[in-house]
Structures are given as C-alpha cells and as structure tokens.
Amino acid sequence: MFTLALTGIAIVSARLALLGESVARNQLDLQVARQAAEAALRDAEKDLMIKDGTLEFPGAVCQRNLPTQLERPAMDQIAQFTKECLRGQCVVDSEERKGVDYTQGATASDRAEAWWPEDRGGRWGDPEEGKPAAGAAETCATFTGGVPLGIFTGARPIEGVALQPEYLIELIRRGGSQYFRITARGFGYRAGTEVVLQSYFQVPGA
C-alpha cells in the first residue's frame, strides 16, 4: 500500500510539472506573438510617415510611391485606399459601417470590418500566398490584404515565429476629421497563437 501511495504521488507530481511547463510555454508563445504584433504596429507608423518617392529604406522589397500614385504623406494618398485593402490600405463607406452588426459579425464581405477574421469577411488575405517577399517583388502593386513586416520599410524579419506579423491601415472619417486605424496581428512559435492589436494614428501636420 505504501508503495502504491508513493507511485500515485509521483504520478500526480509529474503531471503537475508537465502542466506547469505547458502553461509557461503557452504564455511565452503568447508574449512572442504580442511583441510581433507591436513590431507590426510600429512598422505601419513608419510606413505612414514615408515622405516622398526618393526615400528608400534599405532592404525594402516594395516602394510605397508607385509612378501612378501621389506621394506621401498618407493624407495625399487617400484616393488609393480601397475596400479590397489594396497594398494594405483600406477604407469602408461610413453608411455601410453603420449597418455592421458588431455582436454577430457579418456574412456579407462588403459590410465587414477589414480587420475581422476572414471567415467573417475580413481582408487579411492568405499570408502564405500572393504577398510580396524577398525575391517576389512582382506582387508589390497588386497584392491585397495585410502588409507583411518590412515590405515597405525594410524592417528585418522576426526570427522564430511561425508567420511574419502583418498590418492593415484603415482610413477613418468621423466628425469631419480623417485619421488612420492600424490593426496588426502577430504570430508565436505556432501559427495558432495569434495576437491582434490596434492603434489610432494621425500624420503630424495633416
């Protein structure tokens, strides 16, 4: 009986130790995803502050100022923001926004918020396909959805994450003013660990 009791205690102790390790690992993965999302927020702000077409960031795969577009600052490129989030720049009609049911989500993609999950009409796009990457600059002018970290700014990729963080920039019009909402999502060591963060940004002097 004494041996059985010791065996039971040992098994319970081992299970508790494994549970604690699993919790710690999950917490670490969550923090990695959060820091990746923070990096994407800062990257988006840097993207919004690009001044003109002559400014090139070392390592940038794409240039924000195409020959057919106006130059930054972003307030001069409002016409380039689309419902499809072309090159990560999104806009939603204010009347359509009023029809969104924030408690249930939306099945119609034209009434969904850009940053919602894709199965609810979000505009993130597949992070594995159709997005610019090193050696794949041919999609710079045509990709839609989230902007992978560093594509326009040259920020270095984050090592050890399942997917590189990405961001969307939305043009918000309220009360006669215009500003931007940045939504960033970061991933941990596992693609299933995802953190979404938002910030509001107004270009200085705009």
Side-chain angles (χ1 to χ4, degrees), residues 85-153:
C85 298
L86 179 65
R87 308 176 84 216
Q89 299 179 133
C90 316
V91 66
V92 178
D93 184 86
S94 58
E95 292 301 316
E96 291 180 353
R97 191 181 295 275
K98 292 178 182 178
V100 176
D101 185 348
Y102 290 94
T103 63
Q104 299 296 326
T107 56
S109 60
D110 62 342
R111 294 177 61 185
E113 294 279 3
W115 54 270
W116 283 0
E118 287 188 279
D119 60 358
R120 293 300 182 114
R123 305 290 205 278
W124 287 103
D126 191 333
E128 295 285 326
E129 302 174 1
K131 300 289 182 69
E138 64 273 7
T139 58
C140 285
T142 59
F143 81 94
T144 58
V147 178
L149 180 76
I151 291 300
F152 291 110
T153 65

Side-chain angles (χ1 to χ4, degrees), residues 58 78 81 113 152 178:
I78 287 177
F81 284 67
E113 294 279 3
F152 291 110
Q178 300 181 116

Side-chain angles (χ1 to χ4, degrees), residues 154-192:
R156 297 179 62 180
I158 296 176
E159 297 182 2
V161 295
L163 297 167
Q164 289 300 304
E166 55 185 1
Y167 60 86
L168 293 171
I169 302 174
E170 296 175 84
L171 175 65
I172 306 293
R173 295 186 176 102
R174 288 179 184 166
S177 62
Q178 300 181 116
Y179 51 94
F180 302 97
R181 177 168 62 194
I182 303 169
T183 305
R185 64 176 183 175
F187 302 90
Y189 302 120
R190 297 169 295 178

Side-chain angles (χ1 to χ4, degrees), residues 61-76:
V61 176
C62 305
Q63 296 300 313
R64 184 54 93 175
N65 304 308
L66 296 178
T68 58
Q69 291 184 331
L70 298 174
E71 296 181 348
R72 292 296 204 196
M75 300 305 289
D76 294 331

